[in-house]
């Protein structure tokens, strides 16, 4: 799906958005997953949904997506990274070629008519599903960066991130009986691969064939290990030579340490760079 995961291949910039690969913008409905009950929804946020934990999750994702812990600095990000998805932009790598950027601008414009991106909606609809910039150049990138300074547009990016990626990942992880680390592992996977059957949900289904989830009576550590194995293999199958350190020396490290609750302090590496959260 997305942006700025570093793809270590020849002649590819370090800031490339590896997460754009394999994205399906149509959300997958898992027949085994029921919506949380009203009583569950009324409870205080738990796990990764708690504010401090959610911020930590964004820092972890940003270390792989943007090579920084300052995830808020990415609201204004926009670049065509040459992955066939058009422009990739914002805190979670919305793409002009994968429908999610179009939906973001449509929903934002419905709430805030006359914003600086509204005039590009006809072009965004035309290029949706393609790598084309037709009707977007030369002004769209500058318009995005300018609008990204507006608090309402930052809030719109947050809302779409939650609606399409964070909330489905966390709720699915909770139904599978997973704690904060597992919830983050799901979230990072849906960010990178997208939520389609050829993305996160497909990885989950293959992992569930190899190990039982805690909700099915299995070991949380064993299931998460199987999930990471499947995810790493999926990354390598699509792009041999891709750097998988966001799995190998970050998530796998936390799992091997037994840190299923994502307690801080945390130390991890992505693409050879060390990050620390006290």
């Amino acid at each position: 799906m997305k942006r700025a995961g570093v793809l270590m291949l020849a002649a590819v910039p370090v800031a490339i958005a590896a997460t754009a690969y394999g994205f399906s913008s149509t959300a997958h409905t898992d027949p085994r997953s029921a919506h949380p009950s009203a009583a569950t929804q009324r409870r205080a946020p738990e796990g990764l949904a708690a504010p401090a934990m959610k911020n930590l999750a964004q820092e972890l994702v940003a270390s792989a997506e943007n090579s920084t812990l300052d995830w808020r600095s990415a609201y204004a990000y926009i670049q065509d990274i040459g992955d066939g998805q058009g422009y990739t932009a914002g805190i979670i790598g919305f793409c002009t070629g994968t429908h999610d950027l179009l939906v973001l601008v449509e929903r934002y414009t419905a709430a805030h008519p006359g914003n600086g991106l509204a005039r590009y909606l006809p072009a965004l609809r035309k290029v949706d599903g393609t790598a084309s910039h037709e009707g977007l150049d030369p002004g769209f990138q500058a318009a995005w960066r300018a609008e990204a300074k507006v608090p309402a547009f930052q809030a719109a990016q947050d809302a779409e991130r939650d609606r399409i990626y964070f909330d489905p990942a966390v709720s699915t992880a909770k139904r599978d009986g997973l704690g904060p680390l597992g919830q983050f592992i799901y979230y990072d996977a849906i960010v990178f691969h997208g939520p389609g059957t050829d993305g996160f949900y497909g990885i989950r289904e293959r992992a569930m064939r190899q190990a039982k989830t805690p909700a099915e009576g299995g070991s949380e550590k064993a299931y998460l290990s199987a999930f990471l194995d499947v995810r790493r293999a999926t990354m390598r199958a699509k792009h041999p030579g891709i750097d998988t350190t966001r799995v190998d020396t970050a998530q796998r490290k936390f799992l091997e340490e037994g840190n299923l609750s994502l307690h801080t302090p945390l130390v991890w590496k992505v693409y050879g760079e060390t990050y620390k959260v006290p």
Side-chain angles (χ1 to χ4, degrees):
M1 179 217 17
K2 308 263 111 3
R3 181 193 29 139
V6 179
L7 180 60
M8 296 301 207
L9 297 175
V12 179
V14 169
I16 192 167
T19 38
Y21 299 111
F23 171 68
S24 170
S25 61
T26 304
H28 172 69
T29 301
D30 185 346
R32 291 172 289 185
S33 301
H35 291 292
S37 67
T40 299
Q41 291 175 327
R42 285 195 296 268
R43 289 203 297 263
E46 298 174 352
L48 214 65
M53 294 298 292
K54 188 173 184 178
N55 186 70
L56 174 62
Q58 289 305 126
E59 291 178 326
L60 289 165
V61 167
S63 71
E65 293 287 299
N66 302 99
S67 297
T68 181
L69 297 182
D70 182 13
W71 61 270
R72 292 179 179 85
S73 66
Y75 285 117
Y77 173 89
I78 183 165
Q79 184 180 0
D80 188 328
I81 59 170
D83 62 353
Q85 308 286 7
Y87 283 121
T88 301
I91 58 168
I92 211 68
F94 304 101
C95 297
T96 57
T98 59
H99 195 63
D100 55 350
L101 190 147
L102 170 60
V103 172
L104 166 64
V105 176
E106 287 180 332
R107 291 169 69 93
Y108 177 59
T109 300
H112 302 277
N115 69 78
L117 298 174
R119 67 183 182 274
Y120 291 100
L121 276 171
L124 288 170
R125 294 184 182 112
K126 187 173 183 180
V127 304
D128 189 27
T130 77
S132 175
H133 296 178
E134 184 178 355
L136 298 177
D137 292 337
F140 183 66
Q141 292 184 79
W144 179 279
R145 295 186 187 106
E147 201 66 26
K149 299 176 183 177
V150 178
F153 188 52
Q154 295 176 9
Q157 289 193 42
D158 291 346
E160 285 302 285
R161 171 203 62 201
D162 290 352
R163 186 179 71 87
I164 302 175
Y165 305 109
F166 186 84
D167 291 348
V170 171
S171 62
T172 301
K174 286 183 176 181
R175 289 193 293 271
D176 288 346
L178 302 175
L181 176 59
Q183 292 165 31
F184 173 71
I185 285 173
Y186 273 21
Y187 177 47
D188 189 70
I190 202 170
V191 165
F192 187 98
H193 297 277
T197 53
D198 58 343
F200 162 69
Y201 286 102
I203 292 170
R204 174 176 173 262
E205 289 171 2
R206 293 193 296 277
M208 292 174 76
R209 297 188 201 117
Q210 297 186 14
K212 291 183 178 180
T213 68
E216 297 172 322
S219 159
E220 184 171 11
K221 190 170 183 179
Y223 170 73
L224 289 176
S225 182
F227 184 94
L228 292 179
D229 286 345
V230 173
R231 182 180 172 192
R232 187 178 190 275
T234 299
M235 294 169 72
R236 288 287 177 91
K238 290 184 176 180
H239 296 279
I242 190 173
D243 187 297
T244 58
T245 52
R246 68 192 294 157
V247 172
D248 304 333
T249 53
Q251 296 166 48
R252 179 77 69 181
K253 178 178 183 290
F254 303 149
L255 183 61
E256 291 176 350
E257 292 169 347
N259 192 356
L260 297 175
S261 297
L262 270 184
H263 290 309
T264 55
L266 293 176
V267 180
W268 71 99
K269 289 185 178 181
V270 184
Y271 316 127
E273 186 172 352
T274 299
Y275 296 91
K276 299 178 181 180
V277 171

